[in-house]
């Protein structure tokens, strides 16, 4: 015996090495003895060593935790395994929907105490890290490489706790998940939870295809190891689907839904324009077929038919030319036949024809036939099939396999149907050797290595709780099974060719000699016309006549397609526009080629010819390049949408196209980006808005701004990308360059000075036009504590009528001006920069008093009109040589007013408020402030507990 085999048996039989079993098949690629152990377990054709050798210690009964994929499957498995001994007990787990069943059983001659419970499908979800989950938290292109994690969602925490508690008390874990790649992935989710609670578990896999006694007992007595390669294939597919789907869905939804009035969708404000690697090619099939139908231009055509009636019946002959589109030519040939109506038989052919039964039933074929025969949707077909499977009447309904293993006893399955009142007699004939009706099923050429084709597993003449669709689908599965075990139908086909005036005509007839499988498979027909007897050379005069299935549902839910009463699909305008837009880009994202290649890669992962990381890297690299190109050509999507929909008046959300500047230091979750508002102003704001209102308002003297790829080496948290600024020459002093490469992180002194000049320069220039810009900036920094007032700088002479713009110490920006007692102007919100509306209060204390309010309902800006008037400077003497002290006094007065309880409301968001939101100046420094009612710096007046007292 080779040393490696000795080591294998030694490790498996030693209870203290039970933890090694888990580690080895979790990492089959390890070049170690553990890796060799996995390979021997996975690929050896011999059965695993006797199970009694792996019990994990002690001479008593082994405690075995069995986990099924659904509660109903757990109950069926428990009922089947507990029948021999009886005494099954049931109790609630942490989740009241997933009960725990207990009973005694024997595996490989060893006494076991079995605990059977379940999950409900996938136990874990794959999702992005929290900072990437909100739609505007990042550029959609970042989702191709953003961190992802697999975790148990909140609604399945009770199931997790049940598994952990039971695993701690057990020696074995037996996994009863569905035996396909998806089930294997769920199995490894269960392993992660259970092995985390008990690393000494001995882990096994039960493989079965039907919930019947024979299959379940066979599975538990021949346990196998889980297949990590299958689980890796599903992990790769899930990650690819998540990254591609999320990036394209965010891109096209944010880009298009506010730009057009989407009348196909009802409430178009809440619509999600989703993209899925399976969903979109399905839409492509519908749109492509629709285009083919629309492109067809009907043309009139003419054909000549003739018939011959005799004592044996009537035969209809078709023109061998088929039809002609030229009327004149057809008339000429027709008149030739009329003038020489004698038909001569030129050839008579008789041959045997066979009509073969269908291949064994796969999932796709089940959906197609249920739709064709019963008009059942693919979604409903699978729902009914799952219920029949869970009740034990049919095998697992999700399979790509259409050929049976030689080890399956097909005769015993047929024998179970002998008692049925409708097809029982046929089943008896099928088993009778003298009838010679039996035929081994044909091989359809597909095998998913997980499940056999769909077939009946238990006899039923119809259950009381079955609907008509349950009866129909069970009948289809049984009749289909009996049919593909039967001989093909045999028929005799006769073809007769005749000549009339040089024109050839023919007729075909068929007679069925032996129906065979057609006797039971009532869904197929093989009719034919019985022709009279003809012989070559026979002539006769004749009369003539000239004659003239989980992706389709999503398309319907997303309003990409519709289905009529005849189950025919048509694309909506929205579905057609999306396909047209991507088609114009040159990308066939709506074709099935991408998904086909992905499925081929998943299969390569499952058989070990490609690694999970290799498939992820290649696929995501290609799709990211495709995404970036699609975004660059978004105008083609706009053009396609514009063909079907009117443009919307709503502002288009384009945050996915803005340039990232730095991470947000306020929320520590999102990025801050550069954006130009419709008013022309530039700002750097947090993508987490409105949850995070962190913003940097840039000078109004800017004409252009663009983020560069240069990173500031000083500022943190980084990276902080530098911005190339271009200022308007007329709005900045002459000793500053209009072009400036700056940083908003707080290290750029030049940007600070330009910012200060931009904010207060209008007062300075009006009072002293020739002031040195350095002195102005210095004076402002010394005299004002306000760093969130952004008023544009205007050079001397711009205001020729003696008016001066107002910089209000209350904390808002105003273009309100005053001259000789005649005031007119407008107040702007300091949070969003929009013009405010003037309204009149109607409360008892302030009835008739006018106030300014931001037009944005989500913004809390508020100011009394008389406060605005009182804060305006008078004439041209507002500053001068005493400008610095005046500014300081104004600031101190404003602060004192807040502490003293001056009426009115302060602007939302100065400093950090009770909600943790922060506003910063253009230099990146926090703006300080406090409640003007009580003076508390931790909140503002709009949330003050003393407000209204």
């Amino acid at each position: 015996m080779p040393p490696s085999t000795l080591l294998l048996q030694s490790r498996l039989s030693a209870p203290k090495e039970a933890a090694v079993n888990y580690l080895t098949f979790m990492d089959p690629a390890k070049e170690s003895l553990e890796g060799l152990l996995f390979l021997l377990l996975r690929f050896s054709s011999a059965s695993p060593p006797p199970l009694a050798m792996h019990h994990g210690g002690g001479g008593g009964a082994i405690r075995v935790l069995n986990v099924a994929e659904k509660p109903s499957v757990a109950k069926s498995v428990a009922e089947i395994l507990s029948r021999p001994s009886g005494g099954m007990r049931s109790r609630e787990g942490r989740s009241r929907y997933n009960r725990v069943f207990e009973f005694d059983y024997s595996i490989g001659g060893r006494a076991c105490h079995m605990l059977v419970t379940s999950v409900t499908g996938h136990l874990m979800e794959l999702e992005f890290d929290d900072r990437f989950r909100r739609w505007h938290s990042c550029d959609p292109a970042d989702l191709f490489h953003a961190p992802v994690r697999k975790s148990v969602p909140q609604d399945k925490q009770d199931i997790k706790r049940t598994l952990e508690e039971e695993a701690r008390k057990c020696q074995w874990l037996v996994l009863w998940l569905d035996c396909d790649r998806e089930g294997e992935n769920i199995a490894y989710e269960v392993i992660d939870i259970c092995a985390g609670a008990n690393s000494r578990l001995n882990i096994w896999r039960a493989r079965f295809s039907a919930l019947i006694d024979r299959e379940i007992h066979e599975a538990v007595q021949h346990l196998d190891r889980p297949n990590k390669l299958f689980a890796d294939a599903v992990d790769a597919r899930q990650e690819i689907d998540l990254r591609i789907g999320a990036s394209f869905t965010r891109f096209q939804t944010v880009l298009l839904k506010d730009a057009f009035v989407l009348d196909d969708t009802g409430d178009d404000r809440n619509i999600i324009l989703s993209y899925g690697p399976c969903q979109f090619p399905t839409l492509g099939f519908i749109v492509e077929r629709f285009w083919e139908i629309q492109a067809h231009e009907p043309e009139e055509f003419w054909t000549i038919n003739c018939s011959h009636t005799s004592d044996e019946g009537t035969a209809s002959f078709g023109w061998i030319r088929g039809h002609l589109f030229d009327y004149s030519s057809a008339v000429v040939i027709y008149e030739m036949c009329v003038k020489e109506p004698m038909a001569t038989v030129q050839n008579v052919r008789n041959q045997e024809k066979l009509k073969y039964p269908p291949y064994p039933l796969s999932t796709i074929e089940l959906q197609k036939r249920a739709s064709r025969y019963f008009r059942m949707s693919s979604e409903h077909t699978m729902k009914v099939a799952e219920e029949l499977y869970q009740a034990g009447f049919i095998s697992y309904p999700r399979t790509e396999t259409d050929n049976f293993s030689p080890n399956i006893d097909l005769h015993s399955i047929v024998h179970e149907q002998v008692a049925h009142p409708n097809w029982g007699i046929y089943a008896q004939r099928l088993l009778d050797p003298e009838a010679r009706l039996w035929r081994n099923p044909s091989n359809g050429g597909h095998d998913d290595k997980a499940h056999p084709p769909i077939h009946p597993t238990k006899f039923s003449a119809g259950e009381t709780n079955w609907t008509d669709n349950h009866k129909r689908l069970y009948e289809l599965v049984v009749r289909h099974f009996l049919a593909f075990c039967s001989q093909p139908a045999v028929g005799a086909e006769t073809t007769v060719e005749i000549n009339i005036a040089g024109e050839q005509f023919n007729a075909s007839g068929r007679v069925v000699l032996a129906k065979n499988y057609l006797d039971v498979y009532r869904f197929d027909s093989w009719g034919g016309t019985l022709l009279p007897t003809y012989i070559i050379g026979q002539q006769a005069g004749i009369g003539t006549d000239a004659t003239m299935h989980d992706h389709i549902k999503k398309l319907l839910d997303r309003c990409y397609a519709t289905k009529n009463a005849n189950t025919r699909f048509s694309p909506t305008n929205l579905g057609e526009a999306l396909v047209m837009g991507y088609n114009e880009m040159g990308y066939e994202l709506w074709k099935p080629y991408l998904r086909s290649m992905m499925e081929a890669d998943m299969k390569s992962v499952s058989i070990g010819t490609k690694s999970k990381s290799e498939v992820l890297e290649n696929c995501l690299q290609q799709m990211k390049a495709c995404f970036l190109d699609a975004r660059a050509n978004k105008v083609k999507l706009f053009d396609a949408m514009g063909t079907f929909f009117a443009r919307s008046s709503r502002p288009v959300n384009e945050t996915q196209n803005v340039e990232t500047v730095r991470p947000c230091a306020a929320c520590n979750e999102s990025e801050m980006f550069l954006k130009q508002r419709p008013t022309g102003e530039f700002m750097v704001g947090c993508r987490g808005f409105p949850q995070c209102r962190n913003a940097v308002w840039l000078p109004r003297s800017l004409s252009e701004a663009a983020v560069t790829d240069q990173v500031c080496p000083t500022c943190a948290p980084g990276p902080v990308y530098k911005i190339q600024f271009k200022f308007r020459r007329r709005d900045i002093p002459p000793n500053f360059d209009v072009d400036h490469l700056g940083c908003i992180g707080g290290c750029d002194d030049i940007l600070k000075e330009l910012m200060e000049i931009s904010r207060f320069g209008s007062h300075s220039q009006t009072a002293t036009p020739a002031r040195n810009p350095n002195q102005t900036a210095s004076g402002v920094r010394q005299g004002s504590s306000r760093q969130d007032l952004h008023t544009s700088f205007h050079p001397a002479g711009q205001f020729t009528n003696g008016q001066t713009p107002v910089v209000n110490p209350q904390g808002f920006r105003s273009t309100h001006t005053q001259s000789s007692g005649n005031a007119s102007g407008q107040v702007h919100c300091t949070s969003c920069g929009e013009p405010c509306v003037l309204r009149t209060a109607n409360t008892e204390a302030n009835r008739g008093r006018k106030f300014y309010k931001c037009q944005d309902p989500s913004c809390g800006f508020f100011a009394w009109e008389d406060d605005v008037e009182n804060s305006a400077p008078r004439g041209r003497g507002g500053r001068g040589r005493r400008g610095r002290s005046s500014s300081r006094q104004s600031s101190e007065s404003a602060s004192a007013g807040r502490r003293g309880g001056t009426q009115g409301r302060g602007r939302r968001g100065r400093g950090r408020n009770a909600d943790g939101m922060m506003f910063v100046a253009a230099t990146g420094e926090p703006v300080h402030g406090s409640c003007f009612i009580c003076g508390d710096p931790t909140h503002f007046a709009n949330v003050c507990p003393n407000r209204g007292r």
Side-chain angles (χ1 to χ4, degrees):
M1 181 178 294
S4 59
T5 307
L6 287 171
L7 174 62
L8 169 66
Q9 292 186 344
S10 172
R11 291 202 171 211
L12 286 175
S13 60
K16 67 180 181 179
E17 294 293 340
V20 175
N21 297 336
Y22 170 68
L23 294 173
T24 53
F25 59 74
M26 285 298 289
D27 189 4
K30 289 172 63 177
E31 295 182 2
S32 63
L33 293 176
E34 286 80 9
L36 176 60
L37 172 61
F38 172 83
L39 294 175
L40 286 170
L41 285 171
R42 175 69 183 88
F43 297 109
S44 174
S45 59
S47 300
L51 295 177
M53 301 175 65
H54 320 314
H55 54 83
I62 306 170
R63 289 183 66 85
V64 182
L65 175 59
N66 299 264
V67 182
E69 190 164 324
K70 303 177 185 70
S72 59
V73 176
K75 183 179 180 182
S76 297
V77 169
E79 288 175 346
I80 292 172
L81 294 179
S82 64
R83 281 183 195 135
S85 61
M88 182 180 78
R89 300 174 300 282
S90 172
R91 58 182 168 85
E92 283 192 355
R94 291 285 184 176
S95 169
R96 62 191 182 97
Y97 302 107
N98 303 82
R99 300 185 67 84
V100 180
F101 304 92
E102 295 189 50
F103 55 91
D104 294 325
Y105 189 74
S106 175
I107 301 178
R110 183 61 188 257
C112 298
H113 182 69
M114 308 286 278
L115 296 91
V116 183
T117 187
S118 65
V119 292
T120 50
H122 276 283
L123 184 59
M124 298 182 177
E125 292 180 354
L126 185 70
E127 56 189 3
F128 294 107
D129 281 356
D130 290 342
R131 66 180 297 247
F132 293 94
R133 294 180 66 181
R134 290 199 299 270
W135 274 51
H136 300 294
S137 62
C138 67
D139 187 322
D142 295 341
L143 298 178
F144 283 95
H145 53 77
V148 294
R149 54 185 171 84
K150 209 171 186 181
S151 59
V152 180
Q154 189 60 40
D155 61 341
K156 296 190 177 180
Q157 287 293 328
D158 287 342
I159 299 175
K160 176 187 176 183
R161 283 193 286 269
T162 298
L163 294 177
E164 290 173 335
E165 291 172 0
E166 301 300 335
R168 292 189 186 103
K169 299 178 287 186
C170 293
Q171 289 86 46
W172 284 12
L173 172 64
V174 178
L175 301 158
W176 293 84
L177 290 308
D178 292 342
C179 297
D180 54 7
R181 293 201 296 241
E182 207 73 29
E184 212 71 13
N185 189 264
I186 301 174
Y188 272 88
E189 294 174 356
V190 174
I191 290 172
D192 285 344
I193 300 300
C194 294
N198 181 1
S199 61
R200 299 178 63 83
L201 278 174
N202 199 346
I203 302 171
W204 297 97
R205 184 72 161 93
R207 305 201 180 275
F208 63 102
S209 294
L211 292 170
I212 57 176
D213 293 29
R214 181 183 68 250
E215 287 260 354
I216 299 303
H217 286 292
E218 180 78 10
V220 78
Q221 296 298 336
H222 295 83
L223 296 174
D224 196 3
R225 296 293 187 185
N227 186 343
K228 186 63 164 64
L229 297 178
F230 273 26
D232 282 347
V234 175
D235 280 339
R237 193 261 307 157
Q238 287 179 340
E239 185 170 340
I240 290 171
D241 286 352
L242 174 66
R243 294 184 184 280
I244 295 176
S247 57
F248 275 92
T249 297
R250 291 187 190 184
F251 162 64
Q252 61 192 28
T253 300
V254 175
L255 179 69
L256 300 174
K257 80 167 186 176
D258 286 331
F260 298 92
V261 180
L262 306 177
D263 49 11
D264 287 334
T265 62
D267 184 6
D268 60 348
R269 297 304 301 270
N270 297 321
I271 187 175
I272 301 296
L273 303 182
S274 66
Y275 175 92
C278 273
Q279 167 199 337
F280 223 64
T282 306
L283 173 63
F285 280 126
I286 297 174
V287 173
E288 187 173 31
R289 181 58 181 158
F290 178 76
W291 285 347
E292 291 173 356
I293 295 172
Q294 294 295 104
H296 176 71
E297 297 183 6
E299 295 183 66
E300 288 186 336
F301 62 86
W302 287 263
T303 185
I304 302 173
N305 296 329
C306 63
S307 60
H308 174 238
T309 302
S310 67
D311 295 339
E312 298 179 67
T314 300
S316 296
F317 290 83
W319 193 15
I320 203 167
R321 293 180 186 267
H323 54 257
L324 292 179
F325 290 99
D326 185 77
Y327 174 75
S328 300
S329 300
V331 169
V332 169
I333 297 174
Y334 172 69
E335 291 177 347
M336 288 169 51
C337 294
V338 170
K339 290 179 181 178
E340 300 180 23
M342 188 61 64
T344 302
V345 177
Q346 291 188 320
N347 192 16
V348 177
R349 295 195 306 272
N350 294 292
Q351 55 183 341
E352 183 181 82
K353 288 285 187 180
L354 300 178
K355 182 174 178 63
Y356 287 91
Y359 290 122
L361 199 58
S362 65
T363 301
I364 296 297
E365 201 60 32
L366 174 69
Q367 293 172 321
K368 287 165 59 177
R369 292 178 183 266
S371 175
R372 186 186 313 147
Y373 304 150
F374 313 132
R375 292 292 186 262
M376 289 173 63
S377 69
S378 58
E379 180 193 14
H380 187 60
T381 297
M382 294 311 298
K383 179 178 181 295
V384 174
E386 286 278 358
E387 292 169 355
L388 291 174
Y389 159 70
Q390 292 174 19
F393 291 103
I394 66 173
S395 63
Y396 188 64
R398 299 182 185 275
T399 176
E400 300 173 13
T401 305
D402 54 12
N403 63 87
F404 278 95
S405 165
N407 300 327
I408 296 182
D409 186 359
L410 301 179
H411 287 80
S412 64
I413 301 176
V414 174
H415 191 268
E416 291 178 348
Q417 302 295 327
V418 167
H420 199 280
N422 293 336
W423 52 78
I425 296 176
Y426 184 86
Q428 287 180 331
R429 286 179 52 208
L430 193 57
L431 294 173
D432 185 1
E434 295 184 0
R436 296 185 177 181
L437 186 56
W438 182 273
R439 170 178 171 270
N440 288 327
S442 299
N443 187 335
H446 302 92
D447 188 355
D448 61 13
K449 305 297 184 183
H451 293 283
I454 304 169
H455 61 276
T457 55
K458 186 164 65 176
F459 170 80
S460 176
E463 305 299 308
T464 56
N465 62 337
W466 280 7
T467 65
D468 288 342
N469 284 335
H470 286 82
K471 296 175 183 176
R472 293 189 187 107
L473 208 63
Y474 180 74
E475 179 185 0
L476 172 61
V477 171
V478 176
R479 288 186 181 273
H480 196 98
F481 177 80
L482 297 175
F484 63 63
C485 291
S486 305
Q487 294 288 344
V490 181
E493 189 172 275
T494 301
T495 303
V496 179
E497 297 176 359
I498 63 174
N499 180 289
I500 307 173
E503 290 298 310
Q504 305 294 318
F505 297 82
N506 60 23
S508 296
R510 183 188 305 115
V511 59
V512 178
L513 303 178
K515 296 186 70 175
N516 294 335
Y517 90 91
L518 292 175
D519 282 330
V520 71
Y521 205 61
R522 64 180 182 84
F523 312 109
D524 266 4
S525 62
W526 200 32
T529 303
L530 184 64
L531 294 179
T533 302
Y534 292 98
I535 58 175
I536 296 176
Q538 176 182 349
Q539 293 185 338
I542 60 174
T544 60
D545 182 28
T547 59
M548 304 287 178
H549 114 317
D550 294 336
H551 308 302
I552 294 175
K553 180 178 181 297
K554 185 158 286 188
L555 294 181
L556 300 177
D557 292 343
R558 297 300 191 199
C559 302
Y560 288 169
T562 59
K563 182 173 70 171
N564 63 18
N566 296 321
T567 68
R568 294 186 179 275
F569 290 89
S570 299
T572 62
N573 289 340
L574 178 59
E576 187 176 357
L578 289 174
V579 171
M580 181 185 296
Y582 285 113
N583 187 54
E584 288 297 318
M585 294 179 190
Y587 284 109
E588 295 185 327
L589 296 176
W590 51 280
K591 291 283 192 177
Y593 311 137
L594 172 64
R595 191 64 189 188
S596 178
M597 289 188 294
M598 287 171 55
E599 288 300 327
D601 283 341
M602 298 308 106
K603 185 173 182 180
S604 298
V605 173
S606 67
I607 62 177
T609 57
K610 286 186 179 180
S611 68
K612 170 185 167 182
S613 58
E614 176 187 357
V615 168
L616 282 173
E617 182 180 358
N618 292 339
C619 181
L620 294 178
Q621 185 179 10
Q622 294 174 9
M623 286 307 300
K624 183 175 182 180
C626 176
F627 173 83
L628 294 175
D629 195 53
R631 189 167 68 178
N633 289 281
K634 65 182 181 181
V635 65
K636 295 182 178 178
L637 266 179
F638 269 105
D639 291 344
M641 293 287 288
T643 304
F644 298 93
F645 301 102
R647 291 300 297 262
S648 168
S649 59
R650 295 192 298 266
V652 180
N653 192 337
E654 294 259 18
T655 58
Q656 79 278 12
N657 296 319
V658 296
E659 301 170 282
T660 299
V661 178
R662 64 174 302 173
C664 179
C667 65
N668 293 318
E669 292 183 356
S670 301
E671 303 287 337
M672 298 190 72
F673 61 90
L674 175 68
K675 183 180 179 181
Q676 186 174 18
R677 298 181 56 79
T679 58
E681 294 177 318
F682 287 90
M683 64 169 289
V684 177
C686 181
R687 291 184 190 272
F689 181 87
Q691 287 78 13
C692 178
R693 294 177 177 267
N694 189 11
V696 175
W697 293 91
L698 298 174
R700 298 181 72 179
S701 54
L702 273 176
S703 62
E704 297 177 18
V707 180
T708 68
D709 57 0
Q710 297 186 41
V711 177
C712 177
T714 306
C715 296
V720 180
Y721 292 97
K722 292 186 177 183
I723 301 176
Q724 182 65 54
F725 297 104
K726 187 176 183 66
F727 294 87
R728 287 184 289 271
R729 167 52 66 193
R730 65 183 179 84
D731 290 340
I732 62 173
N735 58 330
F736 285 91
D737 292 332
V738 293
D739 296 310
H740 175 65
L741 180 64
C743 173
I744 67 162
C747 67
D748 190 341
D749 292 334
I750 295 179
L751 180 61
K752 288 180 181 180
E753 291 191 36
L754 285 171
M755 195 66 208
E756 300 289 355
I757 293 170
S758 178
R759 288 155 63 188
F760 294 109
S762 55
H763 284 278
S764 308
Q765 291 289 356
T766 304
T768 53
R771 174 174 294 147
N772 186 294
N774 294 329
Q775 294 177 353
T776 304
S778 176
V780 172
R781 283 197 297 272
Q782 294 176 20
S784 175
S785 64
R786 306 297 305 168
Q787 297 192 23
D788 57 344
L789 309 179
H790 309 321
T791 304
S792 296
F793 172 87
H794 296 281
Q798 184 169 336
F799 300 100
T800 58
N801 57 359
Q803 298 177 344
T804 57
V806 174
V807 181
N808 196 307
Q810 291 280 336
F812 52 82
R813 177 175 60 228
S814 173
T815 58
H816 180 86
T817 58
Q818 186 169 348
S819 177
S820 62
N822 184 19
S824 64
Q826 194 172 45
V827 174
H828 287 258
C829 173
T830 54
S831 294
C832 62
E834 297 296 328
C836 295
V837 293
L838 183 64
R839 295 184 177 172
T840 304
N842 197 33
T843 60
E844 183 176 352
N846 295 292
R847 184 172 286 112
R849 191 179 181 189
K850 295 184 181 296
F851 63 90
Y852 289 102
K853 187 179 186 303
C854 183
Q855 299 181 60
D856 185 355
S858 65
C859 180
F861 175 78
F862 177 95
W864 293 110
E865 183 189 32
D866 49 8
D867 288 344
V868 175
E869 296 290 341
N870 293 335
S871 65
R874 304 293 179 181
R876 293 172 54 100
R879 293 192 54 180
R881 287 179 298 179
R882 298 179 59 190
R884 297 182 185 180
S885 62
S886 297
S887 177
R888 184 183 302 111
Q889 290 168 4
S890 177
S891 176
E892 292 171 354
S893 174
S895 300
R898 288 194 296 271
R899 291 190 295 269
T902 303
Q903 288 183 344
R905 292 174 56 185
R907 181 172 64 86
R908 268 179 72 186
R910 293 176 295 184
R912 185 182 298 275
N913 63 13
D915 297 328
M917 300 177 183
M918 175 185 286
F919 277 84
V920 296
T923 57
E925 300 169 358
V927 175
H928 304 287
S930 60
C931 173
F932 66 74
I933 294 177
C934 66
D936 190 337
T938 63
H939 66 260
F940 293 115
N942 61 326
V943 292
C944 181
N946 299 317
R947 183 180 178 187
R949 292 184 180 179

